[in-house]
């Protein structure tokens, strides 16, 4: 019999999708049976009390968690998020319910042995509940007590050689896609760059010194499998400078139905014959593709690298050979303003050798120096950019001004030049723009 009545949570199980409520109940049942004979180091009924306090939060319309202070492991300022219940007498199993962030393997490559070892630690010393993975990319261990933190840290670092992730006002755990280890579209070695910067900035990762959190994410191509453009303060997105390679024979095979579009991904139902005009040409956001007389033509200077045509006809179209990455800055998802994607800071940079890595590190440190000097407490760098202007960031970063550094749809072609550099200043140009569009 359940320890707490949870009618509101039970309703969440009634929908067609998998429910976290069912997962918590499953773990509660497993811990109650304890078929492995484990000597649990935190209360056996913590999942049941977790359900109880969550039901109370739904009933009251407010949270019953409180921060209550800083907890962590010796020498680290991040990696553990302290969480306490404000009803410890009613829910003793979650009086302490700290979250531990664990650095994920590069590209999230796991062995089953590693997964079993992680779960073994957490079943014994935590609630058994995990989140694979958190928004930053970390392995998230949900719920343990203060005395277990050092024990967990020791076993992770000494037995499994895995470090804690980042939390608080520091560099969060860098995250990357599979990159060249798996994907033909990768324009640079995402895993190597991610590992290099992770090792370089260990101090920034574990010892908070920033105004607020700062995230790196690495996408090997514009498909954006880790959503770097929307979820990181500094995004590295693979791209190319030369032309998309077109195989006209393969194009004809797609048109003739010999090759399934989208690599056969939508083969579960009959979508009708492939229509290259409707499914590729008309969907190009910059209208740079034409198909006439059996030939596909791409105006590459107008291509915005959306990847749609390549994804639809992967055997006919390939990314270019002159590859590197674009660097964007300032993505965030604040509650009040809503999500904001990164602004283009460096249109193209080669990422092939150690000298390129050093150039990236110089850029990062210039940005950090400016942000730590100008940023307010708990202000993401995107908010600092919005408050002071992107031109201030461009000056501080030491990158050349480029017309492609688009922060938002521009009403003024001189938006990124200083007012004193433009004859008549910005006001004149904005007023002229308004006059033209009011006619």
């Amino acid at each position: 019999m359940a320890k707490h009545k949870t009618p509101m949570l039970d309703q969440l199980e009634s929908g067609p999708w998998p429910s976290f409520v069912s997962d918590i109940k499953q773990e509660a049942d497993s811990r109650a049976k304890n078929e492995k004979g484990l000597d649990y180091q935190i209360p056996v009924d913590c999942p049941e009390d977790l359900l109880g306090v969550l039901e109370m939060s739904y009933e009251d319309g407010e949270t019953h968690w409180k921060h209550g202070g800083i907890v962590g492991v010796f020498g680290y300022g991040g990696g553990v998020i302290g969480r306490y219940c404000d009803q410890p007498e009613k829910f003793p199993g979650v009086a302490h319910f700290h979250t531990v962030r664990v650095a994920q393997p590069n590209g999230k490559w796991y062995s089953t042995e590693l997964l079993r070892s992680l779960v073994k630690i957490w079943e014994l010393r935590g609630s058994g509940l995990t989140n694979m993975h958190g928004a930053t990319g970390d392995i998230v261990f949900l719920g343990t007590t203060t005395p277990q933190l050092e024990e967990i840290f020791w076993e992770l670092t000494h037995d499994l050689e895995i470090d804690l992730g980042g939390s608080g006002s520091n560099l969060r755990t860098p995250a990357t896609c599979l990159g060249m280890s798996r994907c033909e579209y990768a324009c640079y070695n995402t895993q190597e760059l991610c590992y290099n910067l992770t090792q370089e900035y260990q101090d920034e990762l574990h010892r908070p010194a920033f105004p607020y959190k700062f995230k790196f994410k690495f996408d090997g191509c514009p498909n954006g499998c880790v959503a770097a453009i929307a979820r990181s303060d500094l995004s590295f997105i693979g791209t190319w400078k030369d032309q998309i390679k077109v195989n006209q024979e393969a194009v004809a095979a797609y048109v003739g139905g010999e090759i399934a579009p989208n690599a056969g991904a939508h083969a579960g139902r009959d979508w009708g014959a492939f229509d290259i005009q409707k499914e590729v040409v008309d969907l190009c956001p910059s209208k740079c593709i034409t198909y006439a007389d059996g030939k596909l033509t791409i105006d590459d200077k107008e291509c915005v690298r959306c990847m749609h045509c390549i994804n639809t006809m992967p055997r006919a179209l390939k990314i270019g050979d002159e590859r590197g990455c674009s660097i964007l800055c300032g993505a965030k998802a604040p509650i009040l303003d809503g999500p904001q994607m990164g602004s283009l800071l460096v249109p193209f940079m080669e990422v092939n050798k150690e000298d390129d890595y050093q150039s990236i590190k110089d850029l990062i440190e210039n940005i950090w120096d400016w942000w730590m000097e100008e940023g307010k407490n708990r202000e993401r760098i995107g908010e600092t950019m919005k408050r002071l202007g992107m031109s201030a960031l461009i000056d501080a970063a030491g990158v050349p001004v480029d017309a492609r550094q688009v922060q938002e749809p521009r009403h003024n072609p001189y938006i990124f030049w200083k007012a004193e550099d433009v004859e008549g200043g910005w006001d004149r140009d904005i007023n002229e723009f308004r006059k033209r569009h009011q006619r």
Side-chain angles (χ1 to χ4, degrees):
M1 182 178 177
K3 182 177 179 181
H4 305 284
K5 292 182 179 180
T6 55
M8 298 182 76
L9 292 180
D10 296 343
Q11 187 178 1
L12 294 178
E13 297 182 277
S14 62
W17 309 110
S19 170
F20 73 93
V21 177
S22 301
D23 291 342
I24 298 174
K25 288 181 177 179
Q26 180 180 335
E27 184 62 24
D29 183 62
S30 174
R31 290 174 73 88
K33 292 177 180 177
N34 194 12
E35 294 176 349
K36 297 179 182 179
L38 297 176
D39 181 18
Y40 293 122
Q41 297 299 297
I42 74 169
V44 175
D45 59 354
C46 65
E48 293 183 279
D49 278 354
L50 177 61
L51 290 168
V53 73
L54 185 54
E55 180 76 17
M56 177 181 281
S57 295
Y58 282 10
E59 291 172 353
D60 297 345
E62 61 182 15
T63 182
H64 287 286
W65 298 110
K66 59 180 182 177
H67 192 279
I70 301 297
V71 292
V73 297
F74 184 74
Y76 278 27
V80 178
I81 303 166
R83 188 168 286 114
Y84 301 87
C85 178
D86 67 3
Q87 302 288 325
E89 297 82 9
K90 192 168 185 178
F91 305 107
V94 292
H96 296 194
F97 202 72
H98 308 318
T99 291
V100 181
R101 287 184 176 161
V102 182
Q104 76 277 13
N106 207 352
K108 297 187 177 70
W109 283 109
Y110 289 96
S111 67
T112 53
E113 180 183 0
L114 175 59
L115 288 171
R116 290 191 180 101
S117 298
L118 290 167
V119 170
K120 183 178 179 181
I121 292 172
W122 197 239
E123 280 185 327
L124 178 66
R125 301 194 179 279
S127 68
L129 301 170
T130 65
N131 178 6
M132 306 287 279
H133 300 78
T136 300
D138 293 307
I139 305 161
V140 179
F141 284 171
L142 294 164
T144 192
T145 59
T146 304
Q148 294 303 312
L149 295 175
E150 289 290 350
E151 305 292 340
I152 293 165
F153 181 57
W154 176 273
E155 292 182 18
L156 286 172
T157 54
H158 289 72
D159 296 343
L160 302 185
E161 297 184 339
I162 293 181
D163 205 350
L164 294 188
S167 68
S169 296
N170 63 358
L171 174 64
R172 299 299 178 85
T173 315
T176 175
C177 68
L178 295 169
M180 292 181 173
S181 67
R182 185 69 177 85
C183 182
E184 64 183 298
Y185 299 145
C187 296
Y188 69 100
N189 193 331
T190 58
Q191 290 179 288
E192 184 178 9
L193 180 57
C194 181
Y195 179 78
N196 190 296
L197 296 186
T198 301
Q199 295 299 316
E200 178 76 17
Y201 297 119
Q202 283 291 299
D203 197 57
E204 289 79 5
L205 180 61
H206 295 305
R207 296 165 186 90
F210 294 155
Y212 201 20
K213 68 181 83 169
F214 194 97
K215 299 180 181 181
F216 294 146
K217 288 188 188 295
F218 306 87
D219 276 320
C221 78
N223 274 325
C225 291
V226 294
I229 194 172
R231 298 173 65 186
S232 61
D233 299 272
L234 203 62
S235 316
F236 299 82
I237 302 175
T239 188
W240 62 94
K241 290 177 67 174
D242 53 341
Q243 298 178 340
I244 294 175
K245 293 176 284 188
V246 182
N247 182 331
Q248 298 292 351
E249 292 182 0
V251 171
Y254 277 104
V255 173
E258 300 170 35
I259 305 175
N262 302 291
H266 305 303
R269 56 176 283 193
D270 184 9
W271 297 90
F274 175 63
D275 186 336
I276 191 171
Q277 183 68 36
K278 181 179 178 181
E279 299 181 43
V280 178
V281 177
D282 292 347
L283 294 179
C284 176
S286 59
K287 307 303 179 187
C288 70
I289 302 177
T290 56
Y291 181 73
D293 301 324
K295 183 177 181 180
L296 185 77
T297 305
I298 301 176
D299 184 2
D300 286 274
K301 70 178 183 300
E302 298 295 329
C303 176
V304 294
R305 310 295 192 269
C306 77
M307 295 292 290
H308 174 72
C309 61
I310 296 174
N311 292 336
T312 305
M313 301 191 297
R315 290 172 64 177
L317 304 175
K318 302 290 184 182
I319 63 175
D321 292 324
E322 195 174 350
R323 303 172 186 176
C325 77
S326 297
I327 301 176
L328 296 90
C329 189
K332 57 191 177 68
I335 294 172
L336 296 179
D337 293 342
Q340 173 181 307
M341 291 198 293
S343 301
L344 185 62
L345 184 62
V346 179
F348 185 85
M349 176 181 284
E350 292 187 355
V351 193
N352 300 316
K353 51 187 181 298
E354 185 60 35
D355 288 346
D356 300 330
Y357 290 176
Q358 187 57 52
S359 297
I360 290 172
K361 292 171 187 176
D362 292 341
L363 173 68
I364 289 168
E365 289 163 24
N366 287 342
I367 292 171
W368 280 348
D369 287 345
W370 174 76
W371 181 45
M372 286 192 283
E373 182 70 24
E374 302 290 348
K376 296 180 180 180
N377 186 40
R378 295 183 69 83
E379 182 178 67
R380 296 286 288 272
I381 193 168
E383 295 167 300
T384 308
M385 289 166 54
K386 188 174 181 180
R387 179 168 56 85
L388 299 179
M390 191 172 175
S391 58
L393 172 66
I394 292 172
D395 285 346
V399 298
V401 174
D402 191 296
R404 293 168 291 180
Q405 292 163 326
V406 179
Q407 181 175 13
E408 59 188 20
R410 291 177 292 169
H411 54 249
N412 179 349
Y414 301 102
I415 191 72
F416 297 124
W417 276 259
K418 296 178 181 178
E420 59 267 24
D421 295 337
V422 181
E423 184 178 354
W426 290 343
D427 291 339
R428 183 207 64 180
D429 299 290
I430 293 173
N431 291 332
E432 286 297 320
F433 172 84
R434 289 171 177 163
K435 289 177 183 177
R436 287 199 304 272
H437 287 267
Q438 286 171 354
R439 292 169 188 163

